Amino acid sequence: MEKKWWHSSVVYQIYPRSFQDSNGDGIGDIQGIIQRLSYLADLGIDAIWLSPVYQSPNDDNGYDISDYQAISPEFGTMDDMDELIQKANEYGIRIVMDLVVNHTSDEHSWFIESRKNKDNGYRDYYIWRDGQPNDMPPNELTSIFSGSAWELDKQTNQYYLHLYSKKQPDLNWENPKVRNEIWQMMNFWLDKGIGGFRMDVIDLIGKIPDELITGNGPMLHTYLQEMHQKTFGKLDVLTVGETWGVTTEDAKLYSAPERNELSMVFQFEHIGLDEQPGKPKWDTRPLDFIKLKQVFTKWQLALDGDGWNSLFWNNHDIPRIVSSWGNDSPQYRVVSAKMFATFLHFLKGTPYIYQGEEIGLTNTPISSIEEVNDIESINMYNERMQQGYNKEEIIHAINKKGRDNARRPIPWDESLNGGFSTETPWLALNPNYQDLNVKKDQQNEESIFNYYKKVIHLRKENELIVWGDYKELLPNDPQLFVYERSYQGETWLIIINFYEKPTIYKDDDRKVETIVISNYMDSSKKIDKLELRPFESVVYKLKKSH
Ligand code: NOJ
């Protein structure tokens, strides 16, 4: 496989609204990111995936875009954006823009035109259908944000499709004019020297709503190949598609280099393992650890040589991993967060760190719907209240799975509003920010932050982490995740105790040359009968056996 910069990179996701406010309006902004570039350079990341900063009425916090080539005033100006790209590049950091082209905002000029009348030149930019008799929508497709995916527009008495909120009408990708507009817009950004695109729900663009096909439609890969050819194909950029229902076979179609589509996709199979199959994400069940290991191993092996994996625990849609599947108590938060870093960052693929993960930020429980900002949680709350669910149960589900958990402002220090803003933030900080903040972690050599720094640095220094073969040991062990990476005659053994309960690992034949990294200061070098403490995770370099 031809080696690209993103194979050996670590990407850091910024949710700009919550990163750093520079002008005292309680909302993070681009100048705030510029102020923190030296922090990110110190952490050692290679690229920033920047969640949307485009003009938007913020029905879905920027994922509803009303102008793809304008910056939202709350985030700054296009000059700020140019400055960010340039200053980040000076630090060797590339900016990967969020590309949200499954849908626009209903306030985008295309949609404003489209809804005016059936003959409008922009009518076919969106998906319009007649309803069924008795005021029924065209079919039973539902929105990911609750309710029907069809909205009746009184002006023309037709329904438009919105797989997300009513204010996020789906674009009609079958229309070549739509595709050309998108290629032009992408080239506008590529000309600015960005490092690539993260593509929002890109698996939906080939939908055939009349046949109830949404994900993975028949034209999907044809469109992506056209995109590749018309936009970034000749450039050395990272492209990562968000693809929720993807199988390993699909992922190869997206990411096998000779197919000329994307660098990699985000697959969510591991993320869904605490959800009940076929039910909304709110209906959870305990995590099945054996299954978790199976999923990781399946993806590691399936894409080997034939594509590329992305590796992540968190993003702006997913609650904080240390709270959901780890242990965020004062006693174990630090080792537990480091365990998750070890688990993921020695696998093959490109790791993504979501802002605050590098200091082990935790979820923020709420007790009433008034505290919630996220449209997905609010819509679900209203729907389930109407359906007669118990209010406490709904709040419990929001605390477990709600997106606000990941979206609270970053606590930079212990000062007012955690140094995020001088004014009241758009969403309250987690009240634990006096104890959990960036400054504290920077000052403590044994912090989660310094552990992430080391892990990132190790990837830079060791090709084994990037290119080594993967092999899982003890797949049926109920609490250990053990795997090897081997490259050019060298083998590393990664042993993870996923749980608080101590356990023992036995390895009779092999000897340790050195400990590469461990989340305890005094991990044992003897692996013939290794006693693992709560969440203990160690990376060993093994002695060569000859
Ligand atoms: C996926 C994004 O990550 C999420 O935040 C957003 O709500 C939907 N796509 C719709 O754009």
Side-chain angles (χ1 to χ4, degrees), residues 238-258:
L238 179 166
T239 49
V240 50
E242 186 198 23
T243 55
W244 279 84
V246 72
T247 63
T248 51
E249 286 311 303
D250 301 327
K252 288 190 222 173
L253 299 179
Y254 285 105
S255 69
E258 70 281 2

Side-chain angles (χ1 to χ4, degrees), residues 49 198-199 240-244 246 264-268 310-312 315 350 352:
W49 150 23
R198 173 267 183 185
M199 302 184 184
V240 50
E242 186 198 23
T243 55
W244 279 84
V246 72
M264 65 189 101
V265 292
F266 289 129
Q267 62 82 14
F268 294 83
S310 65
L311 306 167
F312 68 97
N315 67 29
T350 301
Y352 290 72

Side-chain angles (χ1 to χ4, degrees), residues 145-161:
F145 289 166
S146 306
S148 170
W150 297 99
E151 179 71 5
L152 180 64
D153 198 40
K154 290 269 162 50
Q155 284 180 75
T156 54
N157 219 20
Q158 276 196 318
Y159 288 79
Y160 65 86
L161 181 76

Side-chain angles (χ1 to χ4, degrees), residues 70 100 271 311 353 388 426:
V100 189
I271 298 299
L311 306 167
I353 298 171
W426 70 277

